[in-house]
Amino acid sequence: MKNQSPAVTLSQDQLKTLVGVAALAYVLPGEIIGVGTGSTVNKFIEALATMRGDIKGAVSSSLASTQRLQALGIPVFDSNEVDELAVYIDGADEIDGRGYMIKGGGAALTREKIVAAQSRRFVCIADESKLVQSLGRYPLPVEVIPTAARRIGRQFAELGGEAKVRMIGGQPLLTDNGQIILDVSGLDIADPLGFETLVSQWPGVVTVGVFAHQKAQVCLLGTATGVRTVTYEESSLRT
Ligand code: 5RP
């Protein structure tokens, strides 16, 4: 009988560690690295600590990531202190076959989009469960100015969506920017570029969690058989 290695099933947490560590391959010595937010990025931040002496530091997309980076001795710069970043590494709630994403499950979408926009390359790190045919199964996070929430909710209803204010401890969750999040279910986002352009223009919308203009160039996908690298077409600095 042949020697067969037993099938190993990795947990979602192990897949996140796998892609977090794999992302180190995109970290260039001497650079300032764009760092996202979330449980997958937390694995990347832990791995990045092993390279702390080789990089200048990080631009962070949230107070939570800033605290983690600083606790590990990685200097954090403000976005305004850096013109352009070579790479931005972040997770996603959904990613499709073109590198378009839904983000904002961790409520950090606004700063995530800002850092992505100043980066030449977005490397998305995600476990396989995040890969979708079409965006919209995950409720779309939208950061809004509170006084505009009802009208924006009605505008989403006209598109077939249902918007709910994200709550924490019985109160609306406040973002790092002091605004609130609407989570919109029931949308089918067939044209992510057009959808992002449309919703971004609605008065009171701070940031819509569709990342199409700031899409990923690379996705490191954690699968049962290891890290699968998916590459989408390159583009220079995104606007
Ligand atoms: C935070 C985000 C995260 O990237 C997204 O929610 C994925 O998080 P996780 O890695 O915990 O699954 O957009 O605003």
Side-chain angles (χ1 to χ4, degrees):
M1 194 173 140
K2 273 191 197 160
N3 242 351
Q4 283 186 334
S5 43
V8 181
T9 310
L10 296 179
S11 67
Q12 195 179 28
D13 193 64
Q14 288 170 317
L15 293 178
K16 288 178 182 190
T17 303
L18 212 60
V19 293
V21 171
L24 288 184
Y26 293 84
V27 174
L28 304 175
E31 291 278 348
I32 297 174
I33 314 302
V35 176
T37 300
S39 56
T40 316
V41 164
N42 290 345
K43 306 291 191 184
F44 169 65
I45 292 174
E46 277 169 35
L48 189 62
T50 64
M51 287 185 70
R52 120 187 83 205
D54 302 326
I55 58 169
K56 272 198 200 143
V59 170
S60 160
S61 65
S62 64
L63 300 179
S65 288
T66 296
Q67 281 167 4
R68 278 178 183 268
L69 288 159
Q70 288 175 336
L72 292 167
I74 300 170
V76 176
F77 296 86
D78 187 87
S79 271
N80 289 307
E81 295 179 273
V82 185
D83 287 333
E84 190 179 291
L85 297 165
V87 69
Y88 177 59
I89 294 172
D90 198 359
D93 299 302
E94 285 186 350
I95 182 161
D96 75 5
R98 296 167 290 183
Y100 297 143
M101 295 167 286
I102 284 185
K103 291 184 46 54
L109 64 165
T110 295
R111 295 191 192 191
E112 289 174 343
K113 212 174 255 194
I114 290 168
V115 186
Q118 71 183 121
S119 303
R120 285 201 301 278
R121 188 185 235 190
F122 189 137
V123 176
C124 176
I125 49 176
D127 65 83
E128 209 167 25
S129 70
K130 307 293 182 68
L131 187 63
V132 296
Q133 287 285 331
S134 180
L135 300 180
R137 197 181 53 201
Y138 188 91
L140 175 69
V142 186
E143 183 166 351
V144 304
I145 307 283
T147 193
R150 267 187 79 173
R151 180 185 38 76
I152 292 168
R154 285 199 299 274
Q155 287 183 273
F156 277 119
E158 283 167 20
L159 300 181
E162 188 190 353
K164 288 200 178 123
V165 175
R166 193 181 298 181
M167 306 292 282
I168 186 164
Q171 298 291 322
L173 175 143
L174 291 186
T175 68
D176 288 353
N177 313 306
Q179 309 305 332
I180 62 169
I181 300 277
L182 296 179
D183 290 306
V184 189
S185 53
L187 297 168
D188 180 12
I189 305 169
D191 171 18
L193 280 166
F195 187 93
E196 184 181 12
T197 301
L198 172 76
V199 175
S200 298
Q201 289 168 10
W202 293 353
V205 168
V206 178
T207 302
V208 57
V210 171
F211 281 54
H213 292 283
Q214 278 79 39
K215 76 185 194 79
Q217 274 72 53
V218 176
C219 182
L220 303 178
L221 209 57
T223 75
T225 52
V227 178
R228 183 152 73 91
T229 304
V230 185
T231 308
Y232 314 98
E233 80 269 20
E234 285 291 336
S235 69
S236 58
L237 199 66
R238 275 79 50 72
T239 53

